[in-house]
Amino acid sequence: MQNQPNQNQHNQNQIANPQTGQLPKVKGPEMNDRDFINDGLSTCKYITDSLNIAVREASYQQLHDDLLQMLNETHQSSRQLFEVMFRNGWYKLEAEDQQKINQAYQQFSNYSSQFPY
């Protein structure tokens, strides 16, 4: 019973669309649309991480430019996959408490005094 208030508060802080009803009630071993899109999103995240390193370490300008274009395209694909998942209610976000946001902002804005410019 004590978990219910936290669970209700948790749900109030959740940012999500209602699920579209396209998913089965009981998940079987076969992949559904959500599984395929989630797999694609995870793959894009992995590729962008790797491409970030490759772009930073590219020794030739043309290679750098090509990798940077691939990185941008992969980021765009990630965004599109996220939007599909969010629109269908398959990706949920958690809203943060405003006080915590203000504390983090204050903490990091104080760091700006350490910048050399």
Side-chain angles (χ1 to χ4, degrees):
M1 296 290 263
Q2 290 179 342
N3 290 342
Q4 285 180 345
N6 290 339
Q7 193 174 26
N8 289 339
Q9 182 182 8
H10 178 76
N11 290 340
Q12 290 174 351
N13 290 339
Q14 200 171 69
I15 301 168
N17 288 317
Q19 287 199 14
T20 58
Q22 298 173 4
L23 299 177
K25 299 292 182 198
V26 177
K27 176 76 172 96
E30 64 283 340
M31 290 182 69
N32 57 36
D33 289 345
R34 177 185 173 194
D35 295 331
F36 283 113
I37 295 171
N38 191 49
D39 184 58
L41 181 57
S42 295
T43 301
C44 282
K45 288 177 180 181
Y46 174 78
I47 291 171
T48 56
D49 289 345
S50 298
L51 282 170
N52 267 322
I53 295 167
V55 168
R56 280 194 313 266
E57 296 181 0
S59 57
Y60 296 103
Q61 186 62 46
Q62 185 60 47
L63 177 61
H64 175 272
D65 294 346
D66 290 345
L67 290 169
L68 186 59
Q69 180 180 347
M70 292 168 56
L71 176 63
N72 287 331
E73 290 172 0
T74 307
H75 273 293
Q76 290 172 357
S77 295
S78 297
R79 181 64 187 177
Q80 292 168 347
L81 290 169
F82 163 78
E83 287 173 349
V84 168
M85 291 194 71
F86 188 76
R87 186 172 45 249
N88 285 300
W90 301 336
Y91 202 109
K92 296 176 180 143
L93 304 171
E94 203 58 42
E96 189 56 80
D97 177 54
Q98 187 62 45
Q99 183 177 359
K100 288 183 180 180
I101 294 171
N102 293 342
Q103 287 172 344
Y105 175 80
Q106 186 63 41
Q107 176 187 354
F108 289 105
S109 62
N110 288 337
Y111 291 164
S112 65
S113 65
Q114 299 174 18
F115 296 152
Y117 48 88

